[in-house]
Amino acid sequence: MKVLVAEPISDEAVELMKKEGIEVDIKTDLSKEELISIIKDYEGLIVRSQIKVDKEILEAAKNLKIIGRAGVGVDNIDVETATQKGIVVVNAPGGNTISTAEHAIALMFAAARKIPQADRSLKEGKWDRKKFVGIELRGKTVGVIGLGRIGFEVAKRCKALEMNVIAYDPYVPAERAEKIGVKLVDFETLLRESDIITLHVPKTKETAGMIGKKEIEKMKDKVMIINAARGGLIDEVALYEALKSGKVYAVGIDVYEKEPPSPDNPLIKHENAITTPHIAASTEEAQLSVGMIVAEDIIRFAKGYPVNNAVNLPPIPQAEFEFIMPYVTLAEKMGKIAAARLGGVIRRVKVTARGKLADKNLEFITRAFLKGLLEDIVGKELNLISAKPVAIERGISIEESRIEVVEHYESLLEVNVISDGREMYLAGTCFGKEYRILKIDVYNVNFVPKGHYIISLHEDKPGVIGRVGTLFGKNNINIAGMIVGRCGEKPGGVQLMLLLVDDPPTKEVLEDMVKLDGIIDATYVYL
Ligand code: 3PG
């Protein structure tokens, strides 16, 4: 696998990937045009927060399979388009938590005590002790917006500084906050009661612009605002105006609406704005950690193992992955059979896991079935990531069901597919790594689906199988195996025939087969 490292990551991470046989190119100063022109040569791309991996780049990335974000925020990556294209996006959650939390605290101290201004003044040869009177943090109320990993660590550190900590986060339970002596409050209360407000939320549709003129007006006079989370959470113009008027005492800002910000951005130039160039995660420790986390996932991906931190796939523990893997293969093959046998537009897919399989993660199994089902229509680029969004886009309703009871087997995988034309049922099971299809519609089959198959319905009467044998013999196609499934015990009616052949039949052979007396239909599928 060939990986492009497009933003600086730790040397250790690069070495680790190389040691595991990954070809790594480091090109960290590419323009967007340069990146577009070379990205087709890579299966892996590693970035941090500065490169915008947008639709244009993804369109050019013909061979890209995985994007590693050596950091937490993925708002610089068009994850939706990546998912549509079947590209896994992994990040490094947790790797830079402490560094970012410490930076937020550092900005708080720097803003409260005017440290950068005092430093500048001294460097200019001045000795001005009166100008740099600051405020203590102790006893102040700090409002933490977002009590996720980073917000939590910031809150803990603020507690250690003897601050009164309140937090707003609609997604965390009150117990998480109470555990560290933090009171969860609503947004309005936080705005009203905080002396210092620090943001620790990702930039999403809900959080973008969450602090604007209106919100600032509700804050205490001389409030301090810290943002080491994401640019765009705070309206920079409103923030500047509030700094200018004195409503806001000082700000500590590491992230900007546009990065790098324009050198004329008045916010950055304001005396009481402590600004840093998005360096909250730029510590030796954090970079080693995020680099290694992403490198490990790239290596896992290259080896065909499940990745640990996919943003667009559910996480699966290794032991569970080993259990479900044969079912993933089986499901894909079932999808191929359904695609070959069903006509019309597919409307609905229902995946049922019975027995031990019922308490496992079905996401990969369902996706694998959809892949097998749609691959011939959509193309070979369809994979476990893109299969589901593509199916949803095509209006297929997808359902998963779990039933603990199962007869005869430890686990059973069943799939019902409904198309405009008809409904199909498939069932199968796995024994360790071996997978078997047990039923196609009402017919018992029990076979390991591997190779070239002809699946056919025929009338249950003498001579039909002989005629099929003669036709294949005449066309020099060796029949390596045959299963004939009768529906019920009694002769007569319709039977299913499954032929395993050494070579794929031509269209003409299949047409001739359907013309044989007693044959109802015949479809070829490679499993
Ligand atoms: C993150 O989202 O992890 C931080 O903003 C760090 O970004 P960086 O990797 O560009 O330093």
Side-chain angles (χ1 to χ4, degrees), residues 7 48-50 69-73 96 229-230 278 281-282 287:
E7 287 190 68
R48 283 175 60 186
S49 64
Q50 299 302 292
R69 160 68 172 107
V72 181
N96 55 29
R230 272 295 173 273
H278 200 151
S282 294
Q287 286 314 305

Side-chain angles (χ1 to χ4, degrees), residues 4 73 92 107 133-134 138 206-207 250 261 291 343 375 396 445 460 502 505:
L4 173 66
L107 287 173
V133 177
R138 185 186 58 158
E206 288 75 40
T207 61
E375 199 170 57
I396 300 174
V445 281
D460 187 9
D502 285 342

Side-chain angles (χ1 to χ4, degrees), residues 3 7 92 148 187 200 315 337 376 389 427:
V3 171
E7 287 190 68
F187 190 48
H200 300 287
I337 295 176
D376 276 353

